[in-house]
Amino acid sequence: MTQIDIDGESARDGLMTLVMTVVELLVEVMEQEAIRRMESGDLTDEEIERVGAQFAALEAEIEAIKEDEQIDEPVDQLRERLDNLVSDAVMTMDEPPQQGYSYNPIEDD
Amino acid sequence: MTEPSFETGRYLYCVVQLPETESVEFSTVGVDDEQAYLLTAGTIGIVVHDCDTLYDSSNIDLVRKWLLAHQNVIDTAGEQFGTPVPFQFDTILRGDDERVRTWLESERNTFASHLDAMAGCWEYRIDVLRDEAIVEEELSDDEQLVEIDDRIAESASGTSHLLEKKYEQRLKTLKQEQRTDRTAGLTEQLSTIVHDLQDLGQKQTTLNTDADIDEALIREARLAILAHEERQDEIGDLLDDVAAEPGVEIRFTGPWPPYTFTPTIENDSSEN
């Protein structure tokens, strides 16, 4: 897992990365719900347009913060790790635990 | 290095099958520049070095150096004695040579059957990478995606934002399905050739080697296979066919000692 350094500037970056990652995931879940409602016919066209516009504004805001804080890449990396963690967890639920040990053999150059 | 944590111990590298006729000698430089040597029990040998501490460091370069040394010893043993049964890095048995011999003697039958089963087999790694743009292009004629695209074209900006998200979600699902299907297909083809196969998924490995992957490529599969050395070319030919598809890059490495296919040895007194 990504370690969050608790000293000074890098602590702030680490914490911002974590916060923005959580916010992104949260927005994604809410967007999924909005899409579900849009497709189930629960919302009028005006409502869909308004909700969509709000999400678009929110996304622009998140992107701007990430750019200001220069945490685009760390957020992507953290999300990727979380994704892999989840897929691996799902995979290991499907299969018996792997025996032995896995690391990439190093090409001896 | 950590503080010494026991009086005397033996760092274990691998177990090997010894030739029955000739006397054998083995010596090479191991982890942390220690001298690795061979202990024997009948026709089974084990490569070890003397130690009084575990190998633990937060310095990734040092760990890498240790791992490389660990691997070199096992490679050297493999060249001399044939397929070894490797131990995982930092497997240590408390006690002296006599203690290791006693343990080896007690586990002799287990090791003998593993060595027998793996004789002539080596581990190979297969990485399948695809050009993401080509993958997306192939999927873009999906009926649902086409329909969402049409709706986006006639929607106002707020609505199209949600539709674009829906498009992304659908594309992601299709990519995952395609990846699963293709990997299952490859696994199926390999299954008649290989002894054993492990899907390593997207696991983070100790030494992340993804740094050299072109950003335009996405990983479709990472497999470890255990195969007889005589079938290496056959596997290579099969992979060449896959690599012939547009936008595919295959990395086929090996032969390695069977790191992934090492049986778990029940051993209460090892430190790890």
Side-chain angles (χ1 to χ4, degrees):
Chain A
M1 282 303 292
T2 304
Q3 286 195 337
I4 296 179
D5 188 344
I6 50 169
D7 288 326
E9 197 55 34
S10 54
R12 187 173 180 282
D13 289 352
L15 200 56
M16 277 305 286
T17 301
L18 185 60
V19 169
M20 290 323 286
T21 305
V22 171
V23 168
E24 268 194 6
L25 292 168
L26 203 58
V27 169
E28 233 168 70
V29 172
M30 295 194 307
E31 272 177 341
Q32 290 303 315
E33 179 59 15
I35 291 165
R36 195 187 63 77
R37 289 190 191 186
M38 168 174 80
E39 300 302 45
S40 66
D42 288 353
L43 302 173
T44 65
D45 288 353
E46 289 76 27
E47 284 171 327
I48 294 169
E49 182 56 30
R50 198 172 60 237
V51 170
Q54 282 172 339
F55 277 122
L58 197 54
E59 187 177 278
E61 190 61 37
I62 291 169
E63 289 306 320
I65 293 172
K66 285 199 302 185
E67 201 166 324
D68 286 349
E69 298 286 339
Q70 296 179 327
I71 53 170
D72 279 63
E73 207 165 308
V75 168
D76 285 352
Q77 284 171 348
L78 184 54
R79 291 196 52 165
E80 194 180 333
R81 286 179 174 212
L82 290 170
D83 271 356
N84 291 342
L85 206 63
V86 172
S87 350
D88 281 345
V90 170
M91 219 168 91
T92 45
M93 279 197 294
D94 290 345
E95 296 170 3
Q98 181 178 316
Q99 293 211 310
Y101 174 59
S102 169
Y103 68 84
N104 272 342
I106 313 163
E107 298 282 4
D108 195 359
D109 30 2
Chain B
M1 295 287 289
T2 51
E3 288 303 303
S5 44
F6 39 87
E7 288 281 302
T8 179
R10 294 293 179 268
Y11 180 104
L12 310 180
Y13 289 96
C14 58
V15 174
V16 292
Q17 178 76 52
L18 304 175
E20 291 187 26
T21 45
E22 54 202 275
S23 66
V24 287
E25 287 190 7
F26 181 85
S27 175
T28 187
V29 177
V31 172
D32 211 36
D33 296 331
E34 297 285 349
Q35 198 59 34
Y37 59 96
L38 184 76
L39 294 170
T40 61
T43 57
I44 306 273
I46 187 165
V47 179
V48 302
H49 80 235
D50 296 3
C51 65
D52 57 7
T53 175
L54 289 168
Y55 292 87
D56 184 17
S57 169
S58 57
N59 176 343
I60 191 75
D61 290 335
L62 183 60
V63 172
R64 188 186 158 88
K65 190 169 160 258
W66 285 341
L67 272 175
L68 193 57
H70 176 86
Q71 199 179 291
N72 278 337
V73 172
I74 296 170
D75 285 346
T76 308
E79 279 161 26
Q80 189 170 338
F81 302 109
T83 308
V85 173
F87 288 99
Q88 123 178 12
F89 172 74
D90 210 19
T91 302
I92 289 168
L93 193 71
R94 284 183 192 213
D96 57 9
D97 287 359
E98 203 43 51
R99 167 83 184 84
V100 176
R101 275 199 203 94
T102 310
W103 176 71
L104 189 60
E105 193 63 54
S106 68
E107 296 287 339
R108 206 163 118 185
N109 291 340
T110 313
F111 282 127
S113 68
H114 286 314
L115 285 164
D116 223 29
M118 287 190 182
C121 291
W122 299 91
E123 177 166 333
Y124 300 86
R125 292 291 179 95
I126 299 168
D127 271 302
V128 184
L129 307 163
R130 279 186 195 262
D131 185 314
E132 190 160 23
I134 293 179
V135 168
E136 289 185 3
E137 179 59 35
E138 281 174 353
L139 294 169
S140 64
D141 56 6
D142 168 74
E143 207 174 299
Q144 283 191 42
L145 289 182
V146 171
E147 186 226 346
I148 299 168
D149 231 3
D150 291 346
R151 286 168 67 192
I152 289 173
E154 56 198 31
S155 297
S157 64
T159 308
S160 63
H161 174 84
L162 287 180
L163 288 169
E164 277 159 18
K165 293 292 165 190
K166 190 180 174 178
Y167 187 97
E168 282 170 23
Q169 193 59 43
R170 172 69 186 161
L171 187 59
K172 193 175 164 185
T173 306
L174 287 173
K175 278 190 202 170
Q176 275 169 348
E177 284 172 0
Q178 188 187 60
R179 192 161 60 210
T180 308
D181 289 352
R182 282 173 163 169
T183 305
L186 180 61
T187 303
E188 177 94 10
Q189 282 180 289
L190 286 166
S191 65
T192 57
I193 307 175
V194 306
H195 277 256
D196 201 353
L197 182 145
Q198 287 268 7
D199 186 339
L200 301 178
Q202 302 292 329
K203 254 187 207 50
Q204 291 280 331
T205 50
T206 316
L207 301 160
N208 201 340
T209 52
D210 283 0
D212 59 344
I213 290 181
D214 184 337
E215 277 191 11
L217 298 172
I218 46 173
R219 183 193 301 284
E220 180 169 290
R222 177 192 271 155
L223 305 173
I225 55 172
L226 182 71
H228 200 279
E229 56 200 2
E230 287 173 358
R231 312 205 71 168
Q232 185 178 319
D233 292 346
E234 212 175 324
I235 296 162
D237 291 347
L238 190 157
L239 295 175
D240 283 346
D241 291 346
V242 179
E245 294 171 32
V248 180
E249 188 182 309
I250 299 257
R251 298 183 182 186
F252 181 40
T253 59
W256 308 101
Y259 297 115
T260 307
F261 302 93
T262 301
T264 304
I265 309 292
E266 288 303 323
N267 176 27
D268 298 338
S269 46
S270 77
E271 292 275 335
N272 203 349

